Amino acid sequence: MSLNSETGKSPPVHSGSTQARPDFDRQARKGVPEVIIAERKTVEQSLNIARHFLDTNGRAILSRVPPELEDLLRAEFAEPVKLEWLPETRAAILRKPGARPSPTDGRVGVITAGTSDIPWAEEAALLCREMGCTVHTVYDVGVAGIHRLWEPLRFLLDEVRVDVLIVAAGMDGALPSVVSGLVDVPVVGLPTSVGYGMGGKGEAALLSMLQTCAPGMAVVNIDNGIGAGAIAGLIANRAAAARLGKTDYREE
């Protein structure tokens, strides 16, 4: 485990009267990079933390970026820094030359029940890619038209041979259980806040997934695309290491 050699802690980052302790070594230690969740931070806090990640690691990942912060990211960072913007999930990656993740051969499939679930599915896919995985997406194949699922699922299992599936669903949250009952790979259920009335805002979807009788499914919290991506990426990278005869997927 990497720690600051003098203090045994991550060095603090100051921003006005606030303070943050970014985990610069998280990917080396844990296998999952830290993501700056901008939603509840001030714009200056997010910018300051992103600058430090860029200086230290050559890359900064930000999720749930408000419009004001998006504008400032575009204004502040220019060549050679690249700004990659993902509009569906309002996420940004700042990257210096050479700071792309090394491919691991981890293979992740991401499925959504509806088009409205895409923002959180894309958040999960983003993190898996930044962990070195190859990600294949299949969208809008929910139980309201279950016939749409068969051919994409066959492709993911038989041709791509994914190591793990993330399945995002709101409303009744039924699709992850259906998929988990059909496949022989781990499934990560991702409930989304798509829905209304009794059990709306993802509550019914979460409870449905937690109550599943289909074996082999783990469930993250409502709209937790980053959490789903972290679990799936770790599973896929361990499977890739075993496939390649390595004890650790980070081995050269």
Side-chain angles (χ1 to χ4, degrees):
M1 181 168 61
S2 299
L3 295 172
N4 180 275
S5 59
E6 294 182 0
T7 65
K9 301 176 182 179
S10 299
V13 172
H14 296 274
S15 176
S17 62
T18 62
Q19 189 179 87
R21 292 184 178 273
D23 192 351
F24 298 120
D25 296 322
R26 181 173 297 176
Q27 184 149 20
R29 184 187 72 253
K30 169 70 178 170
V32 181
E34 183 166 4
V35 178
I36 305 163
I37 301 176
E39 191 172 47
R40 299 285 180 151
K41 294 180 176 68
T42 67
V43 169
E44 185 52 40
Q45 284 173 335
S46 296
L47 274 176
N48 201 28
I49 297 169
R51 292 184 194 110
H52 281 79
F53 266 104
L54 199 59
D55 290 342
T56 304
N57 293 346
R59 177 187 65 179
I61 308 170
L62 301 96
S63 70
R64 316 216 176 174
V65 176
E68 182 184 1
L69 178 57
E70 178 192 352
D71 292 341
L72 289 174
L73 290 172
R74 294 185 184 279
E76 176 165 337
F77 297 99
E79 294 290 347
V81 174
K82 294 284 189 182
L83 170 62
E84 299 172 22
W85 177 249
L86 288 81
E88 296 93 342
T89 190
R90 297 205 61 82
I93 306 170
L94 297 167
R95 204 187 306 274
K96 288 185 176 180
R100 292 197 171 275
S102 299
T104 62
D105 194 44
R107 305 166 192 170
V108 179
V110 180
I111 299 173
T112 73
T115 304
S116 299
D117 303 310
I118 289 176
W120 300 283
E122 283 291 304
E123 194 174 78
L126 157 70
L127 190 61
C128 290
R129 292 188 183 102
E130 291 304 306
M131 293 171 67
C133 299
T134 300
V135 180
H136 301 267
T137 59
V138 175
Y139 293 154
D140 195 25
V141 292
V143 297
I146 197 66
H147 61 285
R148 300 171 296 178
L149 174 65
W150 309 133
E151 183 56 30
L153 192 59
R154 185 203 63 77
F155 171 76
L156 291 174
L157 294 173
D158 297 342
E159 296 187 35
V160 175
R161 300 188 63 82
V162 294
D163 302 306
V164 59
L165 289 166
I166 298 169
V167 185
M171 302 296 285
D172 54 357
L175 185 64
S177 291
V178 171
V179 172
S180 188
L182 294 171
V183 304
D184 61 353
V185 298
V187 172
V188 181
L190 171 54
T192 69
S193 54
V194 175
Y196 43 81
M198 180 66 72
K201 298 183 179 179
E203 294 176 7
L206 173 61
L207 292 175
S208 177
M209 293 180 203
L210 289 173
Q211 291 283 3
T212 185
C213 63
M217 182 168 78
V219 184
V220 298
N221 211 341
I222 298 167
D223 295 345
N224 188 9
I226 295 298
I231 294 169
L234 288 171
I235 292 171
N237 283 337
R238 285 290 175 181
R243 188 162 50 244
L244 298 172
K246 298 178 179 180
T247 57
D248 190 315
Y249 69 88
R250 287 163 288 195
E251 290 179 10
E252 294 297 333

